[in-house]
Amino acid sequence: MSLIKYQIFSTVMMLKSFTKAACQLGLTQSAVSHAVSSLEHDLGFALINRDRSGITVTREGRILLPSINAVLQMDKNVHQEASAILGIKKGVVTVGVFNSISRHLLPKIIHEMDQRYPLVQVRLYEGNYETIEQRLTRG
């Protein structure tokens, strides 16, 4: 099992769509579907129910998702700690913001971040309170 399969599964579950996950990850929908199927094969059970109305997580997938998200977060932590040991200020900062804030305050803040920390990538997720809370709980 690989971290990329975990990342793909986590993204599919977060976005509730193979197509949207593919777009966000820069992959084809087919590659995303294949990676999830491969992970399911590795584990020996289905993680996602697929039907004409869309996708839903299986009981097993719901059980594993928090652990998978924790593994992905730990991987990010390891890379950031290694960079810190080397004295390199780089990494990814993920920010959940309300639409009104992202339009008015963030352009200036992001510009300042780019100037001070050019190796830090800022990922923005816009949404309402519920959407941001869901993304936070999923890591």
Side-chain angles (χ1 to χ4, degrees):
M1 287 174 252
S2 70
L3 289 176
I4 189 64
K5 291 178 189 177
Y6 289 171
Q7 181 63 51
I8 290 169
F9 171 63
S10 177
T11 304
V12 168
M13 289 293 83
M14 180 176 56
L15 299 175
K16 303 286 191 243
S17 167
F18 282 87
T19 304
K20 289 177 183 176
C23 184
Q24 181 172 321
L25 295 168
L27 300 169
T28 65
Q29 187 274 336
S30 176
V32 169
S33 181
H34 178 74
V36 171
S37 294
S38 177
L39 180 58
E40 290 173 327
H41 181 266
D42 292 346
L43 294 169
F45 50 81
L47 297 168
I48 297 174
N49 293 314
R50 301 153 179 89
D51 60 35
R52 294 180 200 256
S53 63
I55 64 169
T56 56
V57 66
T58 63
R59 182 180 75 74
E60 294 82 2
R62 189 174 16 264
I63 291 168
L64 282 182
L65 188 57
S67 295
I68 286 172
N69 285 336
V71 168
L72 292 170
Q73 186 59 51
M74 290 303 295
D75 181 62
K76 286 180 190 175
N77 293 347
V78 167
H79 287 281
Q80 288 180 351
E81 287 177 11
S83 294
I85 289 168
L86 294 172
I88 300 170
K89 294 179 182 178
K90 72 176 188 176
V92 178
V93 175
T94 304
V95 181
V97 296
F98 300 111
N99 295 333
S100 59
I101 291 176
S102 68
R103 287 186 210 119
H104 302 294
L105 297 176
L106 279 182
K108 185 176 181 178
I109 294 169
I110 291 173
H111 177 72
E112 184 70 26
M113 283 285 298
D114 285 342
Q115 297 299 311
R116 288 186 183 193
Y117 307 101
L119 299 177
V120 174
Q121 177 186 3
V122 178
R123 278 197 196 131
L124 296 178
Y125 291 105
E126 293 181 304
N128 59 27
Y129 179 82
E130 183 179 303
T131 304
I132 293 170
E133 182 181 29
Q134 286 174 354
R135 288 182 184 245
L136 261 174
T137 58
R138 291 184 180 143

